[in-house]
Amino acid sequence: MNGVDRPHIIRKSPWDEARRALAGLPGGGLNIAHEAVDRHAAGPRASRVALRWLGMDETRRDITYGELAALSNRFANVYRSLGVAKGDAVIVLCGRIPELYAAVLGGLKCGAVVSPLFAAFGPEPLQTRINLGHGKVLVTTEALYERKVKKIAGAMPTLAHVLKVDSGEARTMIDAASERFEIERTSPDDPSFLHFTSGTTGMPKGAQHVHGAAVMHYATGTVALDLHDEDIFWCTADPGWITGTSYGIVAPLLHGVTSVVDEAEFDAERWYAILEAEKVSVWYTAPTAIRMLMKAGAEVAKRRAYPSLRFIASVGEPLNPEAVWWGMDAFGMPIHDNWWQTETGGIMIANTAAMDVKPGSMGKPLPGVEAAIAHRDAKGIRWVEAPDEQGELVLRAGWPSMFRGYLDQEERYRKCFAQGWYFTGDLARRDADGYYWFVGRADDVIKSAGHLIGPFEVESALMEHPAVAQAGVIGKPDPMLGEMVKAFVELKPGNEPSEELRLSILGHARKRLGAAVAPKEIAFATALPRTRSGKIMRRLLKARELGLPEGDTSTLEEGA
Ligand code: 6R9
């Protein structure tokens, strides 16, 4: 099992077929937007619906591949006119509106690095990410600008332009722009997306992806999501998270199928109505959403019929075995769990259509993906061969959608690899049949409603409250959200715990971080457990919260 330490080598054979299904740029090179849109627009799929957009207010709009090509060309021309050059960062902060898709694809056409951000982030996570990503152009809406960006407008030195897609000025530019554009000649190794992900320490990391990832998105669209030519596909994730980009934008368009985009947030009735009325055939969603549907009851699902529905998949957090069984009850088919990460860019481990689903398991590595369980310490790597023994999930480096760096953090990137293997930071085990089972994360990162949240970012925002001296943030198990963000705060001298102060800190956190990231619970603590070097021991906070054994506390500060 000893790999060579060459993480950037793309192993050819398993991906060749997917590569052959793509066209490549005329004259050479590869660009995701060309594969996803323009090549369809130039052929018989031009009049096929690419995006079926369902607005919050019951409006709907069908956008064909031909129209999407033209609209994304307009955006590309606008970026060009603003001086966006190859490698410049375009940040897209919109709700799930049609312009988001055109803005993203237009950026890729320009050769820009595109970073879609979640519209439910508060000003602070936005500012952090735009600055870390060296954002040059920000595409947003009038309302999001007013609510979130205005407050931080002076604090983003690299930002040269803000395009509010629904404001008069930007609209005039977009409407006046040409519908023709010659795609920048990008190579498979040129940067495409920048997706932020959170770690245990420090601010988020910008995972850098490349145009060559299209090969993986195409391949996994076939193998893991079972996409066929006439499918109506619905990925419920927001493009502010990688699932919503890789599988909410790229993979379905690469396959030339029709993709449903719902602008609204989760609502059980609405979702069942969409599945039925839009004749969704392949549905990719997340455990938290499934648990919320389960809570509404299978009878609600059975009030409608879904004769078109053929395949359901889920990602982002552990999928409870009951959820898989519930799929059988509500829809007559199991839910296929799959596993991947921002860093892997695409699905790596899955229960595919051809496999027997093992409820509770993430499935098996896809063809071309080599996974293993290992332990790593100062002495090196110890491979786990025995079935059911837990360890860190590792992947042989070199699949096409592998991240190529953490922006400006070379050392952190290097540390993810050893002997040609990528260390995922997840704990898992493999059973005797080769199925992988998720055990937990090796770090303190929180997964709440499928969203990855870095405790450090939350703690930093809490400490900006005038009464807070220190904060420790953990993921507390929650039956609906998987984990819920819980904060423990130590007050500055002269402040007393009170309900009023708790609400003031909660309100502060929501305003700064946004509802998706802010803690749901805040508790006052007199002395947070710290190591002798002063670091908050989140692991211990969590053990105490859950009444679990405290584990190794040898580094704990006296008296904490
Ligand atoms: C795609 C995405 C990645 C982390 C990952 C793991 C957790 C993802 C899972 C799962 C259990 C699954 N995760 N899929 N845990 N079962 N099927 O979610 O990317 O936001 O980067 O999160 O999510 O801990 O390491 P990202």
Side-chain angles (χ1 to χ4, degrees):
M1 281 239 203
N2 280 327
V4 206
D5 201 3
R6 288 184 304 170
H8 293 97
I9 303 245
I10 305 295
R11 280 165 313 117
K12 290 274 183 310
S13 48
W15 317 109
D16 276 359
E17 202 184 316
R19 177 63 188 85
R20 277 196 299 273
L22 304 179
L25 283 172
L30 187 76
N31 185 288
I32 293 174
H34 177 74
E35 303 303 328
V37 184
D38 287 16
R39 74 180 168 122
H40 301 311
R45 286 200 180 99
S47 56
R48 183 183 279 191
V49 176
L51 301 174
R52 172 152 295 159
W53 179 74
L54 310 174
M56 247 180 246
D57 55 359
E58 306 306 315
T59 46
R60 49 187 292 140
R61 190 173 149 195
D62 277 354
I63 300 166
T64 64
Y65 277 93
E67 287 163 348
L68 190 56
L71 197 55
S72 51
N73 281 347
R74 287 178 185 276
F75 270 89
N77 280 311
V78 170
Y79 298 144
R80 260 299 146 70
S81 72
L82 297 176
V84 172
K86 198 171 170 180
D88 283 344
V90 169
I91 313 282
V92 183
L93 173 72
C94 297
R96 288 180 297 279
I97 54 174
E99 285 80 1
L100 173 132
Y101 298 80
V104 166
L105 293 160
L108 297 174
K109 287 182 167 184
C110 249
V113 175
V114 180
S115 188
L117 296 181
F118 192 35
F121 276 151
E124 205 143 298
L126 293 175
Q127 180 187 331
T128 303
R129 285 160 180 74
I130 293 168
N131 286 338
L132 285 173
H134 314 293
K136 180 165 183 173
V137 176
L138 171 67
V139 184
T140 188
T141 62
E142 195 79 70
L144 285 170
Y145 184 85
E146 286 301 315
R147 269 181 21 233
K148 320 222 162 180
V149 185
K150 213 172 166 179
K151 296 188 183 90
I152 49 171
M156 295 174 292
T158 59
L159 206 57
H161 304 280
V162 177
L163 265 183
K164 297 178 231 165
V165 292
D166 50 356
S167 83
E169 204 185 332
R171 215 49 268 172
T172 311
M173 277 176 91
I174 297 163
D175 291 343
S178 163
E179 291 190 347
R180 305 186 69 83
F181 184 83
E182 191 177 333
I183 293 184
E184 180 77 36
R185 185 169 305 287
T186 45
S187 81
D189 290 319
D190 279 337
S192 55
F193 287 104
L194 180 70
H195 288 292
F196 288 95
T197 184
S198 297
T200 300
T201 55
M203 284 302 170
K205 305 168 277 187
Q208 297 170 294
H209 288 275
V210 293
H211 282 275
V215 171
M216 187 81 177
H217 294 137
Y218 186 88
T220 50
T222 309
V223 184
L225 299 176
D226 195 39
L227 287 178
H228 285 67
D229 194 42
E230 301 287 324
D231 273 323
I232 310 258
F233 175 70
W234 185 24
C235 169
T236 60
D238 186 274
W241 303 93
I242 194 161
T243 305
T245 305
S246 293
Y247 296 97
I249 304 179
V250 179
L253 296 180
L254 288 176
H255 278 267
V257 302
T258 295
S259 198
V260 172
V261 174
D262 183 24
E263 188 191 14
E265 291 313 311
F266 174 87
D267 175 83
E269 273 294 340
R270 181 179 174 99
W271 278 32
Y272 289 128
I274 291 174
L275 288 171
E276 180 180 54
E278 306 309 331
K279 305 186 171 56
V280 172
S281 53
V282 179
W283 183 34
Y284 195 20
T285 189
T288 293
I290 294 165
R291 287 191 292 263
M292 293 199 286
L293 291 175
M294 287 168 76
K295 193 175 162 205
E299 325 75 69
V300 187
K302 289 186 210 166
R303 275 184 220 140
R304 300 174 186 271
Y306 317 93
S308 307
L309 194 58
R310 187 183 81 244
F311 190 78
I312 311 177
S314 159
V315 71
E317 337 150 43
L319 182 68
N320 335 36
E322 310 81 66
V324 179
W325 294 121
W326 176 83
M328 293 297 297
D329 184 20
F331 299 105
M333 65 194 84
I335 296 168
H336 299 76
D337 189 17
N338 59 53
W339 177 97
W340 57 290
Q341 303 178 306
T342 300
E343 285 85 347
T344 73
I347 303 169
M348 304 294 285
I349 296 179
N351 288 282
T352 67
M355 275 164 60
D356 290 330
V357 173
K358 277 204 190 188
S361 157
M362 320 190 279
K364 292 185 187 182
L366 293 178
V369 172
E370 217 179 314
I373 304 289
H375 296 283
R376 174 164 69 157
D377 60 23
K379 287 194 248 79
I381 303 176
R382 183 169 68 77
W383 300 98
V384 173
E385 305 285 354
D388 298 321
E389 185 185 325
Q390 94 178 43
E392 187 168 351
L393 174 62
V394 302
L395 302 159
R396 169 93 79 174
W399 65 94
S401 64
M402 187 177 88
F403 73 133
R404 302 303 167 87
Y406 287 129
L407 186 61
D408 300 329
Q409 300 192 64
E410 181 56 34
E411 179 63 12
R412 235 171 151 171
Y413 180 66
R414 230 177 29 80
K415 280 193 181 146
C416 297
F417 297 89
Q419 294 178 29
W421 291 79
Y422 164 66
F423 283 69
T424 66
D426 276 4
L427 301 175
R429 58 189 175 80
R430 182 187 50 229
D431 70 16
D433 300 326
Y435 284 72
Y436 281 74
W437 299 74
F438 182 79
V439 172
R441 290 196 54 106
D443 58 19
D444 292 334
V445 174
I446 301 161
K447 248 300 157 110
S448 186
H451 301 149
L452 206 59
I453 298 172
F456 180 82
E457 206 173 1
V458 181
E459 289 160 1
S460 306
L462 288 168
M463 277 157 65
E464 284 163 18
H465 187 282
V468 176
Q470 281 288 349
V473 167
I474 62 160
K476 176 181 167 183
D478 179 86
M480 204 51 72
L481 302 173
E483 287 186 315
M484 163 231 282
V485 180
K486 170 151 191 177
F488 297 86
V489 297
E490 212 177 283
L491 297 175
K492 283 185 183 155
N495 294 282
E496 286 304 316
S498 70
E499 184 55 17
E500 197 188 338
L501 185 53
R502 206 181 57 81
L503 291 177
S504 153
I505 300 170
L506 261 179
H508 161 89
R510 281 205 194 123
K511 213 161 81 206
R512 294 290 173 99
L513 295 166
V517 183
K520 296 249 180 313
E521 271 183 21
I522 293 186
F524 294 109
T526 41
L528 291 172
R530 284 196 193 79
T531 61
R532 290 199 189 95
S533 59
K535 271 199 229 148
I536 308 270
M537 294 180 82
R538 302 189 191 107
R539 198 169 40 82
L540 201 54
L541 277 175
K542 192 162 177 172
R544 288 178 181 172
E545 171 74 20
L546 303 180
L548 295 173
E550 296 196 353
D552 179 11
T553 54
S554 57
T555 57
L556 187 66
E557 191 187 49
E558 306 277 316

